[in-house]
Amino acid sequence: MTTPLNTERRIAGMCMLMPKDTNHHGVIFGGRVMAEIDLAGAVEAMRYTNFEVVTRYVNGIEFKYPIQVGDQVTLYARLVKLGRTSLTIQVEVEACRPGQDSVISVIAAEVVYVTVQRRGNSMFTVPHGVTL
């Protein structure tokens, strides 16, 4: 018996970025947010496998709007593809500005993870609840 895969987006991380995270333009450095995206995607990928996951590649990332210091950032992730040894995760980043109720979609990314053994060998993806 297999467990159906839930492909709805879920909260995979939250943070508030600080002045130390800014670039020379005074907005949040893209690399800092990319690290959060990678973590959020890995959190979602690990929900679907019994093995460890590592980042294989970033299929795409779109920086729509800058993130400001003090923004409350929420990262949402969802499974978009489950392969034999890989999982493709879509990550959306939204920001809520201090004193405002509106939420802005600031970044969208797609990240591919592979399942590995402790020695780094690629493994077949085995969804939770599935027996081989």
Side-chain angles (χ1 to χ4, degrees):
M1 183 167 99
T2 61
T3 303
L5 300 177
N6 179 1
T7 58
E8 293 181 22
R9 79 178 198 159
R10 299 184 250 214
I11 293 176
M14 297 178 78
C15 60
M16 184 169 70
L17 300 166
M18 306 301 280
K20 67 177 178 57
D21 301 313
T22 59
N23 60 23
H24 63 287
H25 298 293
V27 295
I28 301 304
F29 175 60
R32 172 67 174 85
V33 181
M34 288 174 70
E36 293 292 332
I37 289 169
D38 192 29
L39 289 171
V43 165
E44 183 66 12
M46 287 187 290
R47 291 182 172 155
Y48 295 98
T49 182
N50 297 318
F51 301 108
E52 294 181 15
V53 298
V54 295
T55 306
R56 174 79 168 120
Y57 62 91
V58 176
N59 199 25
I61 186 165
E62 178 185 5
F63 293 90
K64 301 175 187 178
Y65 298 101
I67 298 174
Q68 307 292 328
V69 172
D71 283 357
Q72 297 170 0
V73 177
T74 305
L75 295 98
Y76 295 91
R78 72 179 186 92
L79 176 71
V80 293
K81 182 180 177 191
L82 179 63
R84 215 170 53 94
T85 60
S86 66
L87 303 100
T88 303
I89 306 294
Q90 181 182 58
V91 180
E92 299 171 21
V93 182
E94 295 181 352
C96 181
R97 303 261 146 81
Q100 296 181 7
D101 290 332
S102 62
V103 174
I104 302 166
S105 176
V106 290
I107 300 172
E110 189 173 273
V111 187
V112 177
Y113 299 87
V114 292
T115 53
V116 294
Q117 294 176 317
R118 293 221 180 258
R119 293 188 186 127
N121 297 330
S122 182
M123 291 291 300
F124 289 107
T125 303
V126 180
H128 290 296
V130 175
T131 23
L132 298 177

